């Protein structure tokens, strides 16, 4: 049963129509694409500095050997063969070029990208210098199958095993996200960058590595906007704690712009406080 079902999910071919995207070429969009890739989408965290891939992204004998692809246009990289439609499916749907579900990707968050932003990401990726790094094919171990089943029980934003299983592939995407200091843009950024750890209600979790409560029901209820921005930019909270960067990717998030952090702050003020016994 476990085998048959997970085998079905591994072999299943998703027929996702090509998104109708206009790929920009102007400087501003390419800069936006780079910011989305490096800071918001965190691609280098898994695909490596310079995005030439990581052969050993996940290498656990029982689970399997899951490398993260070389994204550059070198012939060893997917950029040499990927079409715009392929990029969009991999990024927002978690589905590879052969139509099958990718494993270990972050499409649970990236599915929320607007058309304009996913287009800016693709535009930027197409400008990467070719980088030669051979990436071996994926191999699944014995325990990969039960993990795939377990992932179905997780809330959608936490399914980083096989996100394609839970993504609504027919959902419509916003054409653009208007950057600005607004609750809407703050919500957009939070869905892309914070929810995977801090959870959908931003109330956090109890395991190490799951984010803390960042609603106004936690410490943030006593912080000012300036203190919040300082905490993300410097890693020091008003309580005098240093954020544990093993778990909280402050080195990356400090590159969020001040306006982006102000938008996130506004969004946090707009949602219900979560109060949890710890
Ligand atoms: C949490 C880690 C992680 C993050 C963050 C991440 N990826 Fe990946 N990505 C992976 C892994 C692992 C694979 C290989 C999946 C597989 O082979 O099943 C992959 C595969 C891909 C593929 C498919 C390559 C192929 O073999 O066809 C593309 C395209 C891709 N990622 C693009 C991106 C882009 C663009 C970003 C940033 C916006 C990104 N990824 C962020 C882990 C990640
Ligand atoms: C990869 C997981 C991860 C992501 C992504 C993440 N965080 Fe965190 N965050 C954590 C963890 C874990 C902690 C607790 C750190 C510690 O114990 O020092 C934390 C702590 C915090 C704190 C300190 C709270 C306090 O009471 O001291 C703030 C503020 C915060 N995160 C904001 C954010 C925001 C805003 C985002 C999105 C822009 C974000 N985090 C994205 C994991 C994450």
């Amino acid at each position: 049963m476990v085998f048959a079902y997970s085998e079905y999910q591994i072999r299943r071919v998703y027929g996702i129509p090509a998104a109708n995207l206009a790929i920009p070429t102007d400087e501003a969009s390419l800069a936006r694409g780079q910011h989305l890739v490096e800071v918001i989408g965190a691609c280098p965290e898994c695909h490596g500095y310079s995005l030439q891939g990581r052969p050993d992204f996940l290498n656990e004998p029982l689970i399997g050997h899951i490398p993260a692809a070389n994204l550059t246009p070198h012939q060893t990289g997917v950029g040499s063969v990927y079409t715009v439609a392929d990029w969009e499916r991999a990024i927002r749907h978690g589905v590879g070029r052969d139509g099958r579900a990718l494993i270990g990707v972050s499409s649970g968050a990236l599915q929320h990208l607007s058309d304009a932003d996913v287009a800016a990401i693709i535009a930027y990726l197409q400008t990467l210098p070719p980088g030669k790094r051979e990436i071996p094919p994926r191999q699944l171990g014995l325990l990969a199958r039960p993990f795939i089943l377990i992932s179905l029980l997780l809330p959608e934003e936490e399914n980083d095993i096989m996100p394609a299983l839970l993504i609504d592939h027919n959902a419509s995407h916003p054409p653009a996200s208007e950057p600005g200091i607004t609750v809407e843009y703050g919500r957009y950024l939070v869905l892309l960058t914070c929810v995977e750890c801090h959870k959908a209600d931003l109330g956090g979790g109890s395991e190490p590595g799951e984010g803390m409560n960042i609603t106004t029901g936690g410490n943030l209820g006593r912080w000012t906007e300036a203190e919040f921005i300082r905490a993300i930019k410097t890693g020091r909270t008003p309580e005098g704690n240093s954020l544990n960067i093993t778990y909280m990717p402050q080195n990356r998030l400090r590159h969020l712009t001040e306006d982006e952090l102000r938008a996130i702050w506004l969004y946090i003020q707009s949602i219900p406080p979560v109060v949890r016994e710890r």
Side-chain angles (χ1 to χ4, degrees), residues 72-126:
T72 76
H74 188 270
Q75 64 182 31
T76 55
V78 299
S80 62
V81 287
Y82 258 47
T83 64
V84 169
D86 292 335
W87 281 118
E88 193 272 335
R89 284 191 200 101
I91 296 170
R92 282 201 301 207
H93 297 271
V95 169
R97 196 156 170 258
D98 57 4
R100 301 215 165 95
L102 295 165
I103 297 181
V105 298
S106 58
S107 307
L110 299 176
Q111 65 174 315
H112 300 291
L113 284 165
S114 66
D115 287 343
D117 279 350
V118 79
I121 288 178
I122 297 169
Y124 173 69
L125 292 172
Q126 289 177 338

Side-chain angles (χ1 to χ4, degrees), residues 7 10 13 38 70 87-88 95 153 166 173 180 185 194-195 197 249 266 268 273 277-278:
E7 189 64 17
I10 292 166
V13 173
E38 292 176 355
N70 177 343
W87 281 118
E88 193 272 335
V95 169
L153 306 174
L166 298 180
H173 294 95
Y185 190 57
C194 318
V195 160
C197 298
L266 267 190
I268 289 173
E277 306 289 330
R278 304 210 86 198

Side-chain angles (χ1 to χ4, degrees), residues 220 222-230 238 265:
L220 274 70
R222 295 183 296 274
W223 295 10
T224 63
E225 180 196 68
E227 286 171 329
F228 168 72
I229 294 175
R230 202 177 311 130
W265 177 253

